Amino acid sequence: MDTNAVPPLLTVPSHGRIISGFWRRLVAFILDGLVLGLFGSACGLLFFDFFAKLGGWGRLIGFAVAIVYFGVLNSGLGKGKTVGKRIMGIEVINSTGGHLSVGRSFLRYLILGVPFFLNGAPLPTSVVMSPIEYLAVFLVFGLGGSIVYLYVFNRRTRQSLHDLTVGTFVVRGEGSGPFAAKCIWRPHLAIVGVWCLAVIGFSLVGPSLLKTVSFSDLLVVQQKLQSSGKVRAPTVFVGKSWNYQNGVKQEATYLLSTVVWKERPEDYQAAAEEMASIILASYPNIGKKDVLGITVSYGYDIGISHMWIRQSFQHSPQEWVDLLGRAK
């Protein structure tokens, strides 16, 4: 028996190249994020109001910039190296040791980038609990969670979903020719499958759970705010806070709302009062809350950069009523 034989699953890469570790890839990704962030911020300074008026669609601009950046530089045109990868001494190659075509490189980033740019993207209230929202939830948590899991725990090949889909590896070191790649540990794929099924299951069961916390009442408030025609992607949630004064526990209940204004508000106080009047009229239990807080926002988020102007106002429901009465 040859004691020096190496099992196929543990075959090491040839030609002086070894699979890049987690931290080297993470630092490279952070550096690339800084490059894109600086570019996006510079564009934001020049086109602030234009980006702000795009609302959630502005993320398509950031996604377009990112997919061109990663798609081109991770392909043969960029020798498989983005700016971050060049600094960290790593590159993207295929199983034959060569570089990707532009098309396959774009597909690779598409799988990686879609969950990232969907995460936190404002969805209109009209798609809440619709198939579109369920698809977005699956892409963000199912696909995105699987990508993160494989990034962290697939130590054998360090391939995540986007690498597995197009057959790529991220390596360090110099060399050329065929790449003797390892094989992914099969239970990782089973875990990813179970996770995706769990996300699908929660998406189906979640709406019935939300109804137990008067989610439908909050949804009505969101729809009323949206129908004003002046804001986009309003958020509304309720909760409780606690503090201690002189050793005595005090509880306060609240309803907080954040609204993104479509146009730059001339008067943030007046904008908040207008939203408060809608909430007072549309939320039946507002009188039972101790605080009604409203944050008026104006700005943009294009995924690779964001900039917001915000002002927050908090009063009791009765104080809001008094303010509105004096404003008339």
Side-chain angles (χ1 to χ4, degrees), residues 40-181:
S41 297
C43 292
L45 291 175
L46 295 175
F47 307 108
F48 182 87
D49 286 317
F50 173 73
F51 287 165
K53 292 177 181 179
L54 288 177
W57 295 108
R59 288 211 166 197
L60 290 178
I61 293 179
F63 181 73
V65 172
I67 198 171
V68 169
Y69 175 82
F70 286 102
V72 171
L73 295 183
N74 280 331
S75 73
L77 293 178
K79 304 300 182 184
K81 300 176 182 179
T82 59
V83 173
K85 288 185 177 68
R86 287 184 182 277
I87 294 174
M88 299 308 298
I90 59 179
E91 66 179 297
V92 179
I93 63 171
N94 57 29
S95 58
T96 65
H99 293 120
L100 296 180
S101 66
V102 173
R104 291 183 71 81
S105 184
F106 269 64
L107 174 61
R108 180 179 183 272
Y109 184 75
L110 182 69
I111 298 168
L112 175 64
V114 166
F116 172 81
F117 280 90
L118 274 179
N119 185 28
L123 295 176
T125 55
S126 59
V127 305
V128 174
M129 295 187 182
S130 71
I132 295 177
E133 184 185 42
Y134 297 151
L135 176 60
V137 168
F138 174 75
L139 291 174
V140 171
F141 295 101
L143 191 62
S146 299
I147 289 172
V148 172
Y149 170 81
L150 290 173
Y151 251 131
V152 176
F153 295 104
N154 179 20
R155 301 179 63 184
R156 180 175 287 170
T157 69
R158 289 300 180 190
Q159 292 172 293
S160 196
L161 282 184
H162 56 304
D163 290 311
L164 292 170
T165 301
V166 298
T168 56
F169 300 85
V170 179
V171 299
R172 58 190 178 96
E174 300 295 332
S176 61
F179 179 72

Side-chain angles (χ1 to χ4, degrees), residues 213-215 217-219 221-222 225 234-240 253-258 279 283 286 289 291-293 295 314:
V213 293
S214 302
F215 179 75
D217 289 341
L218 298 179
L219 182 58
V221 176
Q222 284 184 304
L225 293 172
T235 61
V236 183
F237 62 93
V238 295
K240 296 180 181 180
T253 58
Y254 58 79
L255 184 150
L256 302 180
S257 176
T258 299
I279 295 173
Y283 189 69
I286 191 61
K289 303 300 180 184
V291 176
L292 169 56
T295 299
Q314 290 191 359

Side-chain angles (χ1 to χ4, degrees), residues 39 184 200 247 249 253 316:
F39 177 79
I184 188 173
I200 293 173
K249 182 179 179 181
T253 58
S316 69

Side-chain angles (χ1 to χ4, degrees), residues 261 263-268:
W261 224 249
E263 302 285 343
R264 188 188 294 264
E266 296 181 2
D267 185 336
Y268 280 78

